[in-house]
Amino acid sequence: MSASDPRPAAPRAAPALPGVAGNPRRPYVRPMAGWWLRNPYFVRYMAREGTAVFVAAYALILLVGLVRLAQGEAAWNGWLEALRSPLSTILHLVFLAVFVFHTVTWFEVLPKTMPPLLVGGKRVAQSAITAGAIAVAAAASLALFGIVWGLTR
Amino acid sequence: MSTNEKTIEIEVLRYRPEQDAAPFPQTYVVPYSDDMSVLQGLQYIKDQLDGTLSFRWSCRQAICGSCGVMIDGIPKLSCKSFLRDYAGKGRVRVEALANFPIERDLVIVMDSFVEKLESIKPYIIPKEPRPLSAGEYLQTPAQLDAYAQYSSCINCLLCYAACPQVGLSPDFVGPAALALLFRYNSDSRDGGAAQRMPVVGAESGAFHCTAVGYCSEVCPKGVDPASAVNQAKGASVREYFMGFLGKGGGK
Ligand code: SF4
Ligand code: FES
């Protein structure tokens, strides 16, 4: 700093601590390992993401059905037979539970991804948007189930 | 201390960079009354038990945003949390906000956030030069409503401590800065969206967000940063495709 510099002298630097060269600051970064187990909210988030694997797996099962169909009647009937096994029934119940969780948790995110929904100039509550979407999904699933049930009777 | 006074154990994660290799928990027994906040508990420790304890605070009424800490692992304002709510277990754990480096005890290094905040230009950039004589801007209630909630942010950083993506990728601009970006872009007085959108679409921008949603859960001001971040993603995608159609204004 030159003698003509009008600024006040800078405050004296903190004395260097023994064993710490120059800057005594030593910010500590905490590890992230296992972060998703630290909070039930994160566990639920990971479960939501994980259910996508089940969705993909079920898409594969349906795809196998399509391949078997292309291979002829015997192959197709074999695939249908496999789906009727007790193990398959149990698996389907597991898939159903997982898909319900997948649907509900994604519809919980839905209101965060859209501009506010205005009805009569008032914002619709996020919980109402989630509930509405779940209701529509449930109604659509039931309708589809009813139609397929009716067609295959 | 009279014998019939209620006490609670406050376990603080201490870190004194000049002597500790790593943070360690230290427990203090603190007398408390039902109207005492966790911040007041920390102040009791500093004033009566251990003057070396460091923590930030200022307003003690949930408006300055200085006093954020992890309380039993959850990001909270210590001035807005009460010791009575942890009395059942007889103890409460206090730690510096997660996802930030610890400067000392409960004090975090927040330089990265200040840089991120600057990067989103958190001020109104007028659409065109406007002389003072033109008077104030007028806004309809609907125009105010478009951004009001996002302008309630007090920069407390609880949302950063709640966001695993911030911890995993420290460059991520993060919830509050993106919420403020969205706040200015949504303001009818502002014309700076084109200057801010590159921050949204950048490698470190909104697409880091995987919609965990915990930021909105912990926000003490009802800002709902997750909704701002995800609407900003939508705006960025629209801008990208409009660019293909030759209609992109925001370069
Ligand atoms: S968005 Fe909420 S939690 Fe995040 S800094 Fe602002 S006030 Fe705090
Ligand atoms: S001390 Fe100001 S927000 Fe808590």
Side-chain angles (χ1 to χ4, degrees):
Chain A
M1 195 187 288
S2 75
S4 63
D5 194 325
R7 289 173 299 177
R12 205 160 40 86
L17 286 148
V20 186
N23 191 346
R25 290 180 64 185
R26 226 156 35 82
Y28 185 88
V29 177
R30 286 159 285 177
M32 281 301 283
W35 63 268
W36 61 276
L37 289 171
R38 287 178 204 159
N39 190 308
Y41 204 96
F42 296 153
V43 175
R44 189 178 159 85
Y45 157 75
M46 289 302 258
R48 182 192 84 195
E49 300 289 297
T51 52
V53 176
F54 288 76
V55 176
Y58 201 70
L60 277 182
I61 293 177
L62 295 180
L63 205 63
V64 168
L66 204 63
V67 171
R68 301 305 270 167
L69 183 63
Q71 285 169 345
E73 197 180 338
W76 169 249
N77 283 333
W79 184 74
L80 283 184
E81 209 42 56
L83 286 193
R84 287 199 190 97
S85 72
L87 179 66
S88 162
T89 306
I90 292 170
L91 268 182
H92 272 80
L93 288 175
V94 171
F95 273 118
L96 181 65
V98 169
F99 290 174
V100 167
F101 182 77
H102 187 83
T103 308
V104 168
T105 48
W106 273 109
F107 281 147
E108 281 170 359
V109 176
L110 172 72
K112 306 272 181 218
T113 62
M114 52 191 264
L117 188 63
L118 299 177
V119 172
K122 281 218 160 68
R123 283 187 189 211
V124 178
Q126 295 193 353
S127 55
I129 295 175
T130 300
I134 292 172
V136 169
S141 301
L142 278 179
L144 190 66
F145 182 76
I147 291 169
V148 173
W149 183 271
L151 286 180
T152 53
R153 280 299 86 187
Chain B
M1 202 192 291
S2 69
T3 44
N4 54 10
E5 224 165 2
K6 290 185 288 187
T7 61
I8 187 166
E9 285 180 19
I10 303 184
E11 180 192 301
V12 184
L13 193 73
R14 305 281 325 258
Y15 175 60
R16 300 156 302 177
E18 67 283 0
Q19 57 192 113
D20 305 326
F24 67 98
Q26 183 167 357
T27 302
Y28 302 93
V29 178
V30 174
Y32 77 98
S33 50
D34 281 348
D35 59 355
M36 255 174 88
S37 64
V38 173
L39 175 62
Q40 282 174 294
L42 295 173
Q43 287 169 324
Y44 181 91
I45 297 173
K46 187 162 179 82
D47 294 344
Q48 310 293 334
L49 307 176
D50 184 349
T52 67
L53 182 66
S54 299
F55 52 95
R56 286 192 176 116
W57 63 279
S58 179
C59 72
R60 57 194 174 15
Q61 49 189 315
I63 199 60
C64 74
S66 316
C67 68
V69 285
M70 308 297 286
I71 302 182
D72 277 356
I74 295 175
K76 284 181 184 286
L77 297 178
S78 62
C79 70
K80 198 170 174 266
S81 311
F82 289 86
L83 288 171
R84 59 169 185 261
D85 294 328
Y86 303 89
K89 282 188 300 155
R91 59 185 290 117
V92 58
R93 248 180 333 112
V94 184
E95 177 178 338
L97 278 184
N99 303 335
F100 287 95
I102 303 179
E103 179 79 60
R104 167 184 216 83
D105 296 339
L106 301 174
V107 176
I108 54 159
V109 183
M110 58 183 288
D111 305 33
S112 62
F113 171 70
V114 175
E115 279 165 28
K116 291 169 186 175
L117 188 58
E118 280 173 12
S119 78
I120 62 108
K121 302 187 199 293
Y123 37 81
I124 285 175
I125 302 174
K127 291 196 178 81
E128 63 268 329
R130 185 180 162 101
L132 263 186
S133 57
E136 67 274 62
Y137 283 97
L138 296 180
Q139 283 186 317
T140 64
Q143 284 171 330
L144 173 66
D145 193 49
Y147 69 84
Q149 142 196 0
Y150 304 115
S151 70
S152 307
C153 175
I154 59 172
N155 296 351
C156 66
L157 306 186
L158 300 194
C159 53
Y160 283 69
C163 176
Q165 298 302 341
V166 167
L168 296 167
S169 325
D171 284 342
F172 174 35
V173 184
L178 284 167
L180 281 167
L181 181 152
F182 191 72
R183 172 249 174 279
Y184 286 98
N185 281 6
S186 308
D187 193 317
S188 62
R189 297 166 291 183
D190 183 272
Q195 295 178 47
R196 298 192 191 95
M197 286 312 284
V199 179
V200 178
E203 179 80 26
S204 55
F207 294 93
H208 253 298
C209 166
T210 54
V212 179
Y214 196 41
C215 55
S216 292
E217 210 63 31
V218 303
C219 175
K221 290 288 157 184
V223 172
D224 196 359
S227 81
V229 174
N230 285 286
Q231 288 181 70
K233 281 183 199 167
S236 181
V237 170
R238 274 194 298 282
E239 191 196 41
Y240 183 73
F241 284 106
M242 291 312 251
F244 279 130
L245 300 176
K247 291 181 185 147
K251 283 281 136 60

